Amino acid sequence: VVVLLAVCAYFAFDNRLSVTKYTVSSDKIPISFDGYNIVQLTDLHCARFGENQQELTEQIAALSPDLIVFTGDMIDQYLLDFDPIEELCSALSEKYRVLAIWGNHEKALSYSDFEKMKKLYRQYNIEILCVDTAYIERGESSIAISGADDPACWNDDAVDFVNENGIGVSPAEGLYSILLYHRANIFPALTDLGFDLILAGHMHGGQI
């Protein structure tokens, strides 16, 4: 049984859309989820793709997602332009279920700007998974998607921080469990937590 995953990522200093497709197979994925399609968007940093995000939303529609996930840094703490992400949320919320976590840029916002970001997501029914788990149902079967908060430290100390403090969520017992976590470079601290799949961003170009 497979889950299809498409990642739309904005890479630093390269304002072009890039779509990478993965097929994830596991005996733990219920048969009713065969072909289930998740689109991940990450690290947009206030980028706009066409008027009212039309280029991006058309690309997403072409991928026929069953679910969309945001894995952080959709805003940029230095640019503070909320219009691109609001345009995106407005367009997506009409058609799709969207789950989101925070990245380091959201967590670095001032109190008032962070509240503005949370209010924006709630206005458009974007579900914030801040140390929380959502259950996705198809037929009589479910998979679990958990979201963890961005750690309260910078890169050099982040792995130690997570090793010492955990991430506040655990895989759902008996279910195929996905973790949304912003920083891919903390993967060494996440590998033994028991999640079947981790969707992350942060690295602006990826790594092996």
Side-chain angles (χ1 to χ4, degrees):
V1 179
V2 300
V3 169
L4 305 178
L5 174 66
V7 181
C8 297
Y10 166 68
F11 301 120
F13 313 116
D14 185 352
N15 196 19
R16 293 176 294 178
L17 272 177
S18 176
V19 178
T20 305
K21 297 181 180 180
Y22 301 91
T23 299
V24 180
S25 302
S26 172
D27 292 338
K28 289 182 65 177
I29 300 174
I31 189 65
S32 59
F33 282 86
D34 194 18
Y36 191 81
N37 194 8
I38 300 172
V39 170
Q40 176 191 5
L41 287 90
T42 192
D43 294 84
L44 297 188
H45 287 274
C46 300
R48 179 182 278 114
F49 300 94
E51 185 176 357
N52 294 320
Q53 297 285 25
Q54 183 175 355
E55 181 183 348
L56 177 55
T57 55
E58 288 180 352
Q59 181 69 263
I60 292 169
L63 296 169
S64 302
D66 296 292
L67 178 72
I68 295 174
V69 297
F70 295 170
T71 50
D73 285 3
M74 306 298 277
I75 195 77
D76 191 291
Q77 69 183 99
Y78 304 110
L79 299 177
L80 285 180
D81 183 358
F82 288 88
D83 290 341
I85 183 60
E86 181 165 11
E87 292 165 3
L88 182 62
C89 290
S90 175
L92 296 182
S93 64
E94 298 177 359
K95 300 179 180 180
Y96 311 106
R97 184 177 182 181
V98 183
L99 309 179
I101 59 168
W102 305 124
N104 54 286
H105 273 258
E106 283 95 1
K107 294 306 294 286
L109 295 173
S110 67
Y111 176 82
S112 60
D113 285 329
F114 189 43
E115 289 299 309
K116 182 176 181 178
M117 189 72 179
K118 288 191 287 186
K119 182 178 179 180
L120 188 156
Y121 274 8
R122 289 167 180 155
Q123 176 183 350
Y124 293 103
N125 298 314
I126 310 301
E127 300 173 52
I128 304 168
L129 293 183
C130 181
V131 195
D132 202 358
T133 298
Y135 295 91
I136 312 299
E137 298 180 352
R138 263 196 167 188
E140 297 180 356
S141 301
S142 301
I143 61 174
I145 301 184
S146 299
D149 220 349
D150 196 65
C153 57
W154 193 231
N155 287 336
D156 292 343
D157 303 315
V159 170
D160 289 340
F161 180 91
V162 171
N163 280 331
E164 293 171 5
N165 298 279
I167 61 171
V169 288
S170 301
E173 186 175 354
L175 296 181
Y176 186 81
S177 296
I178 299 172
L179 174 65
L180 307 183
Y181 196 89
H182 177 63
R183 300 196 208 184
N185 56 314
I186 306 181
F187 190 72
L190 306 176
T191 54
D192 295 330
L193 298 181
F195 289 94
D196 299 293
L197 177 66
I198 301 172
L199 306 183
H202 187 60
M203 299 302 288
H204 294 225
Q207 68 269 301
I208 297 174

